[in-house]
Amino acid sequence: MKQAVIERVLDYALSRGYDFAEVFYEDTARTQLTMLNEKVTGMSAGRESGAGIRLLRGNVCQYVYSDRTDEASLKTMLQTAVSGFSAGAANKGGEDGAKAADRRYPGIRYHNYETAGQQDPAISDKIGLLERCNRAGLSRSEQIFQMNSGYLDMDQQVTIANSRGLYVQDRRRKTRLFLEAAARDGSEVRRSYIGPGAMGGFEYYGQIVPEEFARKAAGAAQDLLHARPCPTGKMPVVIAGGFGGLFFHEACGHSLEAGAVADGGSEFSGALERRIASPLITLIDDGTIAGEWGSLQVDDEGTPTRKNVLIENGVLKGYLVDCRHSRRLGIAPTGSARRESYRFAPDARMTNTYIAPGADRPEDMIASIERGLYVKGINAGSVDAYTGEFNFNTNETFLIEHGKITGPVRSATLIGTGGETLKKVEMVGSDFELGQGFCYAGSGRIYIGAGQPSVKISEMTVGGDEV
Amino acid sequence: MTGQAKFLNLDAVRAELLRGGFEQIRFQITQTRRRVTAVRGRQIKQVLDADDWMCVVEAEYNGFTGRAYWSRMPDPERLAGVLRETARMNRKKSDICYFSEPARSVRNGAVFEDHDTVSGRLLEAAAHAYQRPEVVLLQDCSYEQREDICYFIDPDGNTAADASAYHFFQAAVNAGAGSSRSQAQHSCYGASLEQIDAIRQIDHAVRKAADILGAGPIASGRYQVILESTVMAGLLEAYLPAFYAENTSDSRSVLTGRKGKRIAAPCVELREVPRLPGGRSCRRIDDEGCPVSGSDLIRAGIMKTELTNRHSGAESGLPLTGNGFKPDSKAEVGTGVTNVILGPAGEKALGREELIGRMNSGLVVTGLEGIFAGTDVKTGDFSLQAKGVIIKDGIIAGAFKEVTIAGNFCRMLEQIIAFGDEPAATGPDQACVLSPSVYVGALAVSGE
């Protein structure tokens, strides 16, 4: 998409009375592969491109998207969209008192970024990688009867320009494996998975030993065999380091996103500088970590990413803010605007979110518990930012009895409210690790990192069938 | 590029691929038109308009099928390279669907209301909601109008087309009283703004949010339970893959080996209905070009059908059911459904009061969270965060939240006692499942 076309589209939007206009253009190539044991079961490869145009008038957002990016098509779409929507009249008497905007069009600020790495290897090389992983997992033990692996990569080139004179180009490369192992003993089957990923290209698989991850997933599935039903009720819980950090992603991360915070929509709205967590908790969202799966050079509004300290020693220090909500909240954008593709308007979301390491030893956490749970892996979860009620489902889960791990239990659902649970963090370990995953919300499916050291929570509600 | 130009360019793509040694070249093109109007609080928050196309090409190369997608005319050399490589690595040949007519037009039946008309109605509904003192924030009140048109072009250049369109309303309400907070949602499909009564729908969400104010955990134990319509629909949707042949044939479903056997109470009927009033999809052919006919998944408590696409049908030896759908326009064909509805077989559906009266004492679950991760298709087990109201002697006697509710999908179906009479549907980000409220008997609650 040519710069001149983008500028004329922005000028056209401003001429219609909008106070901010933005073009997000993307051209993305992706490969996705799946393999069950030795058989390729899925293969998807292709390229998609398109543009999303965002117009703001006060706090009202108008968004138009299409795969067609020629000037005539974009202007026709804008004309059609604008003619059916008289936002000013509809909002007359609104309570927000939106500030009139910068209609200025200063000298254009150019930025060009590119993630190192390359995605050029042939599909056969990528399939070869899955074959190696599946072989490694299957050879771990005779009990491992199935390896279901997946590979994905993305080479996304974006151009982001806005009416404030920003013009950014960024080339983003991502790659990830999904390795699921199934272990069987008689009729009992248990599964476990692991998903290493990076901001970068295929060279990542030369920097790690993928087979080790496959063996780790296989070992974890084996460890879960003969799992007993999970006890239920309130009990202390130790969540292991790594993607266990998804716990904080759900318990408080989403509730600190500007879209939730605005209008008093979050349990943490208006709580800046207040103590909301145990003094042991320092929560950080950092999109700048080199090579990390959740990292970006610039966010999806073109703002450079940065390290945002959200909670420091238990005190709320900041929110994750995008341009649009910065108007409502009066807080500068934090480089946190994310979207799945041009089909979504951006929203403030997380990048790599983690709890800073503490000084406690994981073994001391376990030794301190008479009866509780040790959660080594988390599948997924969700939260209601307004009430703070969150849930997450565990994967690798073990029973702690008399200060020792005594065996695996079946997966469980753990629930709580962010405000209460954050204050119940009693110990924070020194064994930090960052995991990789996806987050699903209003602006689509985005890649995120979640991490933490081991953490002990004095009490959580554990759900299950054994009551 | 206009939509017409995309079709015209297909001839050039076909010619280029034929020169490159490809055969049996066929295309699928999807056009998506969307319009979303969203209100937050008492103001318009966002409006969205989209017209988006995606093309998929499949072609045979050395006897195997290659596949690639694009949204803009690709470099022919690069496209041929991807097709060659996917054919070589896939090492399988896909079935090809031929259409008998040179062209068949799709009826463009979707009517799109403009943003001003819709936003006027939504703001009216918002003002209505704020008349209730418990309402703190109308978090979301949105209306989506969508049409997906699929064009299938076979190797002979014959075209078939199919379309699906819907209007969808949803509301999410934050309520508060003192230090107590609650949140509830409600949604429904319809054919027009007129048919979807926004004020009535928003009332459902407000009632549910207000009912839960003051709630807290209850004692752990086994309780008689009614799952309210939206909750039951959401839970059922999570277990639909249990009916897919690709899962039953690979022991990845709790329903493996259960076809022809009782899996539910005799009063239970579960059907797929392609053109269902109040549903979402109105497709006539699936994404493999096969006719969509609908089927009984459960009849009188007996499992009747395993859903197949061409591949899973051939692998399992089961009849083709026309359920070859792609989760999105770029993806490979998997298994999917049009509209699935749960209802009573030959039993009277009960009004809300009657249903609660039938249970007499127990819980009505009006919110269930964590379904995405807390349900297991392989074992049927579920453990989910729940909230709702407490029933004593047939009347509401309080509310509960911050508990989990757990059980097993099959056992729950087997112990269903009675059905309500007002079905509700899942949202557009899920398969379309409609269910009334259902009295499911006893489930385990973990709370205090």
Side-chain angles (χ1 to χ4, degrees), chain B residues 15-48:
Chain B
E16 193 70 39
L17 293 177
L18 285 170
R19 273 197 294 278
F22 291 92
E23 298 174 307
Q24 310 278 16
I25 301 152
R26 61 267 190 196
F27 302 93
Q28 183 176 349
I29 301 175
T30 308
Q31 180 191 13
T32 301
R33 293 168 60 217
R34 287 178 72 205
R35 176 167 290 166
V36 182
T37 315
V39 162
R40 182 179 167 99
R42 299 171 196 266
Q43 283 202 308
I44 299 167
K45 173 191 172 196
Q46 179 166 307
V47 298
L48 177 149

Side-chain angles (χ1 to χ4, degrees), chain A residues 1 25 27 29-30 36 39-50 59-70 73 77 80-81 83-87 90-91 94-96 122-124 127 146 148 180 191 232-234 259-260 262-267 324 328 342-343 345 379-382 384-387 389-391 393 412-413 415-417 420 440 461-467, chain B residues 1-3 6 31-32 34-35 40 42-54 67-72 78 82 85-90 92 114-117 119 123 136-137 139 174-176 180-183 217 220-222 250-252 311 315 329-332 369-375 378-379 381 383-385 387 401-408 411 444-448:
Chain A
M1 200 171 173
Y25 169 77
D27 182 14
R30 283 191 183 84
L36 185 63
K39 189 177 169 190
V40 175
T41 50
M43 191 179 297
S44 170
R47 193 168 201 101
E48 63 179 330
S49 57
N59 291 314
V60 180
C61 171
Q62 186 155 13
Y63 196 72
V64 174
Y65 73 79
S66 177
D67 62 303
R68 280 162 284 161
T69 54
D70 60 289
S73 297
M77 278 199 70
T80 308
S83 64
F85 181 57
S86 47
N91 277 306
E95 61 200 21
D96 287 291
I123 291 176
S124 54
I127 287 176
Q146 198 175 72
N148 190 9
E180 184 195 59
R191 294 173 194 271
T232 59
K234 296 199 174 201
D263 309 310
S266 162
E267 64 170 331
R324 180 176 158 209
R328 291 186 86 94
Y342 68 91
R343 298 185 180 93
N379 286 326
S382 62
D384 171 359
Y386 176 62
T387 62
E389 293 160 19
F390 71 88
N391 66 82
N393 183 261
T413 293
I415 63 167
T417 60
E420 284 181 17
Y440 300 76
T461 299
V462 179
D465 203 11
E466 302 285 312
V467 292
Chain B
M1 186 190 298
T2 65
K6 276 191 191 289
Q31 180 191 13
T32 301
R34 287 178 72 205
R35 176 167 290 166
R40 182 179 167 99
R42 299 171 196 266
Q43 283 202 308
I44 299 167
K45 173 191 172 196
Q46 179 166 307
V47 298
L48 177 149
D49 288 271
D51 186 359
D52 203 38
W53 294 68
M54 179 63 69
R67 184 177 174 283
Y69 65 82
W70 77 87
S71 57
R72 170 172 84 158
R78 190 182 170 88
V82 173
E85 209 179 358
T86 51
R88 191 163 63 87
M89 299 314 300
N90 238 345
K92 63 188 179 195
D114 65 40
H115 288 301
D116 282 344
T117 306
S119 57
L123 289 169
V136 172
L137 175 68
Q139 188 182 302
N174 293 353
S180 178
R181 293 178 164 211
S182 67
Q183 196 262 2
S220 298
R222 297 189 77 79
D250 197 23
S251 298
R252 286 172 162 264
H311 178 70
E315 291 259 307
S329 54
K330 301 190 294 287
E332 287 187 288
E369 301 296 335
I371 289 177
F372 173 68
T375 51
K378 298 172 206 94
T379 62
D381 293 339
S383 176
L384 305 160
Q385 186 184 8
K387 61 188 173 187
K401 65 176 186 177
E402 293 174 46
V403 304
T404 67
I405 200 155
N408 180 278
R411 283 199 291 278
V445 170
S446 176
E448 287 189 317

